[in-house]
Amino acid sequence: MDTWNTMARTAGAPSRMRDVVSSPVGRRTTVAVMVTSEQSPPEPPETLSDPRDLLVGYLDFYRDAVLRKLDGLPERELRTSRLPSGWSPLELLKHLAHVERRWFRWGFMAEQVDAPWGDLGPGDRWQVGDDETVGDIKALFLDECARARRIVAAARLTDTAATGGRFNPPDPPPTLIWIMFHVLQEYARHVGQLDVVRELTDGVIGE
């Protein structure tokens, strides 16, 4: 069985018991679920003032955060949902790979890509096929991130997206800086969701 393993984790604050609501009337009780705080990596330097450096730095910070949140989870947990909405961590990773593809390759470059909405199944629900391995999804994510970095490096923030891909007249195409901000806020939201899922799974918290 595959286990996600991208980097070693370093323990930070001591483990503690988690307090949970255990009855319909809201009475709280302590259960034997250990919460372990991990040492968080540094954010991009606070001395940065250039918009490109800030956007590139924080996009990579959150891309890495997604991988950190999945590090150490067994395949069963990667494919299992712990939330009423039903999505799994592996489905979220595949979704983010397609977010990169839709906004940078298909969107900004108007590249004719395969299956720009390939993360969605019936009812627009995220999906991962039984034949798609953990390694497949991770490789897809890393490849799309690398392609997006190359696109950003070769363009100006004020450049507008090409037409003929995701964007077509009469709607005005977005600028690269708008696309980067949009993708950044999407990462921030999804990493927050993974924070909750990881704590529910094994008690690991941290950036």
Side-chain angles (χ1 to χ4, degrees):
M1 182 174 293
D2 290 345
T3 297
W4 192 280
N5 186 16
T6 59
M7 62 189 74
R9 298 193 302 274
T10 304
S15 299
R16 61 185 186 276
M17 307 296 280
R18 186 165 64 213
D19 203 30
V20 299
V21 175
S22 62
S23 76
V25 296
R27 180 172 54 85
R28 303 187 71 83
T29 186
T30 299
V31 296
V33 176
M34 301 303 294
V35 177
T36 303
S37 179
E38 294 187 332
Q39 182 174 334
S40 302
E43 296 181 49
E46 61 270 22
T47 55
L48 289 180
S49 59
D50 181 81
R52 174 183 288 274
D53 292 341
L54 282 164
L55 283 167
V56 168
Y58 271 100
L59 273 172
D60 278 341
F61 177 82
Y62 280 110
R63 287 163 174 153
D64 290 343
V66 170
L67 300 181
R68 288 193 300 273
K69 289 296 172 184
L70 302 182
D71 180 26
L73 289 177
E75 182 171 357
R76 178 178 59 83
E77 289 293 346
L78 289 169
R79 293 182 180 272
T80 298
S81 177
R82 289 183 171 268
L83 300 173
S85 51
W87 58 266
S88 71
L90 196 60
E91 288 171 344
L92 176 54
L93 186 67
K94 183 178 178 181
H95 167 68
L96 286 171
H98 282 79
V99 166
E100 299 268 359
R101 176 181 294 183
R102 284 193 288 268
W103 283 105
F104 292 107
R105 294 174 59 200
W106 187 43
F108 185 72
M109 297 297 291
E111 181 181 335
Q112 301 306 301
V113 299
D114 293 332
W117 302 98
D119 52 325
L120 302 180
D124 288 340
R125 185 191 180 282
W126 298 341
Q127 66 170 1
V128 171
D130 293 338
D131 59 336
E132 294 179 287
T133 68
V134 172
D136 290 338
I137 303 302
K138 181 181 177 183
L140 173 66
F141 175 76
L142 292 174
D143 180 63
E144 292 296 341
C145 290
R147 289 171 182 261
R149 289 187 190 100
R150 290 194 293 268
I151 290 169
V152 169
R156 296 171 299 184
L157 296 183
T158 55
D159 288 346
T160 56
T163 57
R166 181 172 189 172
F167 306 111
N168 290 285
D171 297 328
T175 60
L176 178 59
I177 191 171
W178 188 95
I179 289 173
M180 293 176 73
F181 265 112
H182 177 83
V183 174
L184 177 60
Q185 64 82 27
E186 184 149 359
Y187 266 102
R189 287 188 295 109
H190 288 320
V191 170
Q193 292 171 316
L194 282 176
D195 281 339
V196 175
V197 169
R198 187 61 192 261
E199 183 176 352
L200 289 172
T201 301
D202 61 5
V204 172
I205 61 173
E207 296 290 334

Coordinates of all heavy atoms in Angstrom, one line a residue, residues 12 22 45 52 63 74 98 107 115 125 182-183:
G12 N 7.2 19.9 16.5 CA 7.3 21.2 17.0 C 6.9 21.2 18.5 O 7.5 20.7 19.4
S22 N -19.1 15.6 22.3 CA -19.4 14.2 22.2 C -20.9 13.9 22.4 O -21.3 12.7 22.5 CB -18.6 13.4 23.1 OG -18.8 13.8 24.5
P45 N 10.6 35.8 2.4 CA 11.1 36.9 3.3 C 10.2 38.1 3.4 O 9.6 38.5 2.4 CB 12.4 37.2 2.6 CG 12.8 36.0 1.8 CD 11.5 35.4 1.4
R52 N 6.1 40.4 -8.3 CA 6.4 39.1 -8.9 C 7.1 38.2 -7.9 O 6.7 37.0 -7.8 CB 7.4 39.3 -10.1 CG 7.8 38.0 -10.7 CD 8.8 38.2 -11.8 NE 8.2 38.7 -13.0 CZ 7.6 37.9 -13.9 NH1 7.6 36.6 -13.8 NH2 7.0 38.5 -14.9
R63 N 2.1 25.6 -2.7 CA 2.2 24.3 -3.4 C 2.9 23.3 -2.6 O 2.5 22.1 -2.5 CB 3.0 24.5 -4.7 CG 2.3 25.2 -5.8 CD 3.2 25.7 -6.9 NE 2.5 26.3 -8.1 CZ 3.0 27.3 -8.8 NH1 4.2 27.7 -8.6 NH2 2.3 27.7 -9.9
P74 N -1.3 7.2 4.5 CA -1.4 5.9 3.7 C -2.4 6.1 2.6 O -3.3 7.0 2.7 CB -1.9 4.9 4.8 CG -2.6 5.7 5.8 CD -1.8 7.0 5.9
H98 N -5.2 20.4 -12.0 CA -6.0 20.9 -13.1 C -6.3 22.4 -13.0 O -6.5 23.1 -14.0 CB -7.3 20.1 -13.2 CG -7.2 18.8 -13.9 ND1 -6.7 17.7 -13.2 CD2 -7.4 18.4 -15.1 CE1 -6.6 16.6 -14.0 NE2 -7.1 17.0 -15.2
G107 N -5.5 28.6 -19.9 CA -6.0 30.0 -19.8 C -5.0 31.0 -20.3 O -5.3 31.7 -21.3
A115 N -8.2 17.4 -21.7 CA -9.1 17.3 -20.5 C -8.8 18.4 -19.5 O -8.5 18.1 -18.3 CB -8.9 15.9 -19.9
R125 N -18.4 16.7 -9.5 CA -17.7 16.3 -8.3 C -16.3 15.8 -8.6 O -16.0 15.2 -9.6 CB -18.4 15.1 -7.6 CG -17.8 14.6 -6.3 CD -18.4 13.3 -5.8 NE -17.9 12.9 -4.5 CZ -16.7 12.3 -4.4 NH1 -15.9 12.1 -5.4 NH2 -16.3 12.0 -3.2
H182 N -5.5 34.9 -8.3 CA -6.7 34.0 -8.2 C -6.2 32.6 -7.8 O -6.8 32.0 -6.9 CB -7.4 33.9 -9.5 CG -8.5 32.9 -9.5 ND1 -9.8 33.2 -9.0 CD2 -8.6 31.6 -9.9 CE1 -10.6 32.2 -9.1 NE2 -9.9 31.2 -9.6
V183 N -5.2 32.1 -8.4 CA -4.7 30.8 -8.1 C -4.1 30.7 -6.6 O -4.3 29.7 -5.9 CB -3.6 30.3 -9.1 CG1 -3.0 29.0 -8.7 CG2 -4.2 30.2 -10.5

